[in-house]
């Protein structure tokens, strides 16, 4: 966050049941961040989102609860949470349960074909065609991370078209670029 002391209200404040004393500056913002990151709903939201991203569109509640405990026990450090997630039995058994989002599909397809883009607008147009251009999702919650948002006949057709273009029309020889 950006702290501007000219626009800061230095009076006493109430935030999610916590009192912030008067007469402070940037400390208010730092305390609010700490309050929010340690709030139980934030912990649940983040752990659910991680499980949904890496395990299943409908992750098991038991895994979410375990990650929440790791989050809390490790003072919000993400590394132990990710370690617990990636070493879980649920993660090990999750192969084939996730449908790639368009950007993930695109990155895999570009790697598989060895395509290099000499002109960024071609890459950007393909991502727009797939429905996931960078910074194109206007709500602050990010692009959807569940299969129903992307798995449709139109979505699959767009993937096929991009794959066809990358593999047959991309002129991806190292010397040509695209």
């Amino acid at each position: 966050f950006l702290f501007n002391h000219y626009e800061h209200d230095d009076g006493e404040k109430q935030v999610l049941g916590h009192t912030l004393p008067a007469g402070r500056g940037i400390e208010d913002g730092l305390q609010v961040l700490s309050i929010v990151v340690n709030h139980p709903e934030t912990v649940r939201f983040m752990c659910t989102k991680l499980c949904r991203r890496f395990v299943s569109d409908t992750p098991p509640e038991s895994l979410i609860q375990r990650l929440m405990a790791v989050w809390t026990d490790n003072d919000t450090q993400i590394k132990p949470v990710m370690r617990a997630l990636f070493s879980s039995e649920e993660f090990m058994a999750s192969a084939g349960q996730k449908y790639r989002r368009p950007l993930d599909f695109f990155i895999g397809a570009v790697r598989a074909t060895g395509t290099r883009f000499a002109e960024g607008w071609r890459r950007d147009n393909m991502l727009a065609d797939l429905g996931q251009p960078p910074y194109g999702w206007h709500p602050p919650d990010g692009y959807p991370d569940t299969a129903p948002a992307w798995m449709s006949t139109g979505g699959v057709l767009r993937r096929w078209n991009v794959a066809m273009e990358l593999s047959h029309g991309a002129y991806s020889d190292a010397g040509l670029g695209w």
Side-chain angles (χ1 to χ4, degrees), residues 15-142:
V15 177
L16 295 173
H18 296 264
T19 301
L20 282 65
R24 298 190 321 167
I26 195 168
E27 297 85 2
D28 283 350
L30 296 172
Q31 185 176 357
V32 167
L33 287 175
S34 178
I35 291 167
V36 170
V37 83
N38 286 295
H39 192 278
E41 289 304 314
T42 302
V43 176
R44 170 170 280 289
F45 176 82
M46 292 303 298
C47 291
T48 301
K49 196 162 180 81
L50 287 169
C51 290
R52 192 176 296 126
R53 176 77 170 110
F54 292 107
V55 175
S56 167
D57 286 356
T58 54
E61 181 64 25
S62 58
L63 178 60
I64 294 168
Q65 290 293 327
R66 284 198 318 272
L67 293 186
M68 288 172 63
V70 172
W71 178 291
T72 304
D73 292 346
N74 289 279
D75 194 31
T76 72
Q77 295 297 309
I78 194 68
K79 194 173 185 178
V81 175
M82 299 305 290
R83 185 176 292 119
L85 173 63
F86 293 142
S87 64
S88 71
E89 290 180 21
E90 293 89 345
F91 176 76
M92 299 298 180
S94 69
Q97 291 188 38
K98 291 295 298 175
Y99 185 72
R100 285 184 174 192
R101 295 191 307 178
L103 180 60
D104 299 328
F105 163 79
F106 182 75
I107 291 168
V110 168
R111 285 179 178 165
T113 60
T115 302
R116 292 179 178 215
F117 294 93
E119 300 169 303
W121 66 267
R122 292 183 187 271
R123 175 203 59 231
D124 296 344
N125 283 354
M126 285 185 183
L127 285 169
D129 289 345
L130 288 169
Q132 194 177 1
Y135 311 110
W137 190 258
H138 297 291
D141 57 352

